[in-house]
Amino acid sequence: MKRAGVYNGAALLFVFVLALLGQAALAQSAPVSGGTVPPATPERLIAGDFECKTTSYHDGAVPDDLYIHRPNHIPNGWEITYTDKTPVIDSARIYIEGSCDGSAHVERISGEDSVLMQARDIEWTSAPGKPFDASLYQQVDVVSGTTYSLSGWFLTLCGGSNTQPRSDCPDGYYMAKLLGIDPTGGIDPQAATVQWVENRRNFVGPDGVTRIGWQNLRLGVTAQAPSITVFARINSPFQWHGNHSFIDALSLVQAPTATLTATPPLTGSTAITLTWDGSLGPDIPLIPSSTHVLLFDVQYWHDANQRWRDVVSDVGAGSFSFNAACPGSVYRFRVQPRAEQPEGSHGASPNQRYPGVWSAPLDIYVPLLPVAPGESFTPTEQLFLPVIAAQRTC
């Protein structure tokens, strides 16, 4: 693993001073109505929107064995890791316009800018679209034992252009979008401690034309140290022309929480009463224009099935009477919360989705139903039933 992060100190200081002057001028020309102080942002990341006009970019160090026409520009507050050789990593607007001042269209889902990750020799030389695997990462101070939720947006274009809805990406080829958190605060994306979510959908569908576009990735993780590390990663393992991608609108907040209770069945019954509730947490309600609501998924496990199965999903706080089909055994239950904005609610944009983590499982033993005194069962005829392979009913 290699690491890049070289600051141009004088330039950065100059940009920082200009930003402060601009903020002061804005404050003088547009005072807050009534003298009230705007609510503090709940965002825990530095420069998660990757805006070049409000975020200082610095030049990333370029390794000696790699020739790139110009240095990589890395958003302030972020660093990069990569395997083998780094791709082009830049502000999309700076790369396309040469500065932040242009008005040309650039792919983004929030604000006016995003991060571009582009294969070397994207459309030229005899071997265009060099493979790459690179991550932006940022370490964030947190409270150990507290759960945090990360949401972000990605666009990958295998064999295509961001100006034409068409792709010739071969079957089996892909560019993987990955969002990850290391709850121990490490900076190695290859470490076993990093928890990942992945999406391999191209910017168009299998027909090469139907627009798919930006994809939202999200996950929740419980911190195991005083800091955690977030990763926004693109893995482009196949050599193919036109391979490039964009990352935008990364957001880290304290995650929503959930509680679950499970009441064992009464004597003579197999009904387990499940009740769940939760909280959005302290950060999400502070998001400007937020219309986030709390939703839950509840699942159960039985050893006969060897997998978690849904009880209810996409529901608010509530309760459910779960009928255990296999008395004389143990059932296990868990709940996961998530904060989402309902479609059409005209809330904060983009529509970030913030999952929590699954609760610790609750085990409930369901006793066998009692047999009434004197009741017996004596078969009088042989009964043949078909065998249905792999069908479990518990």
Side-chain angles (χ1 to χ4, degrees):
M1 181 183 71
K2 303 177 184 177
R3 189 176 172 190
V6 179
Y7 287 81
N8 185 324
L12 182 60
L13 178 60
F14 179 71
V15 172
F16 178 69
V17 171
L18 286 180
L20 289 180
L21 292 174
Q23 290 175 0
L26 179 62
Q28 292 175 3
S29 62
V32 178
S33 176
T36 59
V37 178
T41 175
E43 184 53 59
R44 296 172 182 267
L45 292 177
I46 298 172
D49 266 338
F50 308 119
E51 296 298 316
C52 64
K53 288 188 177 180
T54 58
T55 303
S56 298
Y57 272 70
H58 64 82
D59 291 342
V62 180
D64 294 336
D65 60 348
L66 173 63
Y67 174 73
I68 290 183
H69 298 293
R70 51 182 157 181
N72 287 315
H73 292 88
I74 312 304
N76 189 34
W78 296 86
E79 301 291 343
I80 60 171
T81 66
Y82 50 91
T83 58
D84 191 18
K85 296 180 179 180
T86 181
V88 174
I89 303 176
D90 210 336
S91 153
R93 189 159 295 282
I94 290 176
Y95 188 84
I96 293 172
E97 291 279 3
S99 73
C100 288
D101 299 326
S103 59
H105 169 78
V106 298
E107 283 284 0
R108 80 275 191 198
I109 198 166
S110 177
E112 297 182 343
D113 201 6
S114 63
V115 168
L116 167 71
M117 283 195 187
Q118 177 177 290
R120 293 179 295 119
D121 302 327
I122 185 171
E123 291 287 3
W124 52 87
T125 79
S126 59
K130 302 293 194 300
F132 67 89
D133 185 356
S135 305
L136 288 166
Y137 74 86
Q138 184 176 142
Q139 291 177 293
V140 184
D141 292 337
V142 293
V143 177
S144 184
T146 299
T147 301
Y148 296 87
S149 188
L150 178 65
S151 179
W153 294 82
F154 295 73
L155 177 66
T156 49
L157 299 101
C158 172
S161 166
N162 62 331
T163 59
Q164 291 183 343
R166 185 169 296 280
S167 169
D168 61 357
C169 190
D171 290 343
Y173 279 35
Y174 63 85
M175 297 178 68
K177 300 172 280 288
L178 299 107
L179 192 66
I181 302 178
D182 188 336
T184 68
I187 62 173
D188 182 2
Q190 305 299 324
T193 50
V194 183
Q195 300 181 34
W196 295 100
V197 289
E198 180 177 352
N199 180 309
R200 296 183 178 181
R201 299 186 74 184
N202 201 10
F203 75 109
V204 292
D207 61 4
V209 177
T210 304
R211 177 79 177 185
I212 299 296
W214 287 83
Q215 300 288 292
N216 176 239
L217 277 68
R218 62 268 187 186
L219 76 160
V221 169
T222 300
Q224 300 174 20
S227 68
I228 61 175
T229 307
V230 304
F231 296 89
R233 176 180 173 187
I234 300 293
N235 178 22
S236 183
F238 303 100
Q239 183 168 320
W240 194 251
H241 79 98
N243 282 2
H244 63 295
S245 59
F246 299 88
I247 304 171
D248 199 9
L250 266 60
S251 176
L252 180 72
V253 298
Q254 189 168 323
T257 58
T259 57
L260 175 69
T261 59
T263 304
L266 300 173
T267 302
S269 171
T270 61
I272 301 169
T273 301
L274 304 172
T275 303
W276 58 90
D277 203 346
S279 167
L280 286 173
D283 292 349
I284 296 172
L286 297 178
I287 297 173
S289 303
S290 166
T291 58
H292 286 86
V293 297
L294 195 57
L295 299 175
F296 302 88
D297 298 322
V298 181
Q299 294 184 333
Y300 80 96
W301 174 284
H302 192 279
D303 286 344
N305 302 318
Q306 288 298 303
R307 64 183 178 90
W308 289 100
R309 305 174 80 173
D310 289 340
V311 177
V312 293
S313 59
D314 299 325
V315 298
S319 62
F320 184 81
S321 181
F322 178 87
N323 185 51
C326 297
S329 59
V330 173
Y331 282 79
R332 182 168 294 160
F333 300 92
R334 67 180 186 178
V335 62
Q336 183 184 37
R338 70 181 183 280
E340 291 192 11
Q341 298 184 115
E343 292 295 330
S345 62
H346 306 292
S349 180
N351 188 1
Q352 304 283 17
R353 299 166 177 86
Y354 299 106
V357 297
W358 288 104
S359 64
L362 294 175
D363 287 354
I364 299 294
Y365 176 74
V366 181
L368 290 168
L369 295 175
V371 178
E375 182 179 331
S376 62
F377 173 72
T378 303
T380 57
E381 296 181 3
Q382 290 184 328
L383 181 64
F384 296 93
L385 296 175
V387 176
I388 303 176
Q391 181 171 337
R392 306 292 178 88
T393 58
C394 292

